[in-house]
Amino acid sequence: EFLNNPSVGSGPVSVVEVFDPNFPHCKSLHETLVSVKAANLDRATFYSVPFPLRPPAIGQAASLAWARESGSYFDLVDQYFARLDNTWGMSPEELREAANEVGLDGPSLIATLEDQAAVQPYLDLVSADADAVQDNLSAPGGGISTPKLLINGRVVANTTITLTENCLNQMIAEAGGVSADAPAAVVEEVQ
């Protein structure tokens, strides 16, 4: 379902990262995934799905959808996590500065976000991703938390053990049919 999202890598194993760009735990997983991606670009394809948990983060998610067209999506994700603070969402000036920092046209981004007709296609992408996340990853009571990581459609349990570089590398290897010497990773079936 998330295979049209921005991705890196070309391997047969699908790894889907669902994150809120304003959540510290998402930043931690994202930082861990930097080396995991580098080690597994030929084993896995890594898909990125922004999922704003609170309304103030919708502007960031829409701007990430906008950045897809320029090829700077992942640079902007990195920039947002680098700027993460204790507030939810970013001001228009912060969004403009972050876009400029990665070589995008910050004033054009802000003009797009402030023009309802221009921003609507990007909000539609955010909404479609949010619906897919809700449909596929909600807890039995309907709630969802981030980060979420799926490997070949299976949700990786969010524990300090399973979200380490070594464990994620092992899970990707096992999903690709490579046997591993370490114990089996903890995963949950997607409902």
Side-chain angles (χ1 to χ4, degrees):
E1 183 120 15
F2 304 108
L3 305 185
N4 290 326
N5 284 70
S7 64
V8 296
S10 59
V13 175
S14 70
V15 179
V16 178
E17 173 191 13
V18 178
F19 67 95
D20 183 306
N22 290 290
F23 196 58
H25 294 299
C26 295
K27 177 181 179 178
S28 295
L29 175 60
H30 184 77
E31 290 171 345
T32 300
L33 284 174
V34 169
S35 56
V36 172
K37 288 175 185 177
N40 292 286
L41 289 174
D42 60 337
R43 282 191 216 166
T45 304
F46 295 84
Y47 299 93
S48 180
V49 182
F51 181 76
L53 290 172
R54 297 184 183 175
I58 293 172
Q60 282 173 276
S63 65
L64 289 171
W66 174 83
R68 289 183 187 189
E69 297 170 354
S70 68
S72 297
Y73 172 89
F74 289 103
D75 294 331
L76 196 56
V77 170
D78 292 342
Q79 186 62 213
Y80 287 164
F81 280 130
R83 293 169 175 263
L84 182 69
D85 59 21
N86 62 355
T87 63
W88 281 87
M90 296 174 79
S91 70
E93 180 165 308
E94 291 170 314
L95 293 171
R96 181 185 49 75
E97 289 172 3
N100 287 340
E101 186 69 27
V102 299
L104 294 170
D105 183 350
S108 177
L109 167 62
I110 300 309
T112 299
L113 293 176
E114 291 176 348
D115 179 330
Q116 189 58 43
V119 76
Q120 195 58 53
Y122 306 113
L123 292 174
D124 291 345
L125 282 172
V126 171
S127 180
D129 280 346
D131 289 347
V133 168
Q134 288 289 351
D135 291 347
N136 293 292
L137 300 173
S138 290
I144 188 154
S145 62
T146 59
K148 288 284 188 238
L149 190 69
L150 293 85
I151 299 178
N152 278 353
R154 298 180 75 184
V155 178
V156 176
N158 287 342
T159 70
T160 56
I161 296 169
T162 59
L163 298 181
T164 65
E165 180 181 345
N166 289 339
C167 193
L168 292 173
N169 284 332
Q170 173 191 334
M171 285 187 261
I172 290 167
E174 289 172 357
V178 177
S179 63
D181 295 332
V186 178
V187 296
E188 302 167 355
E189 289 294 330
V190 175
Q191 301 293 328

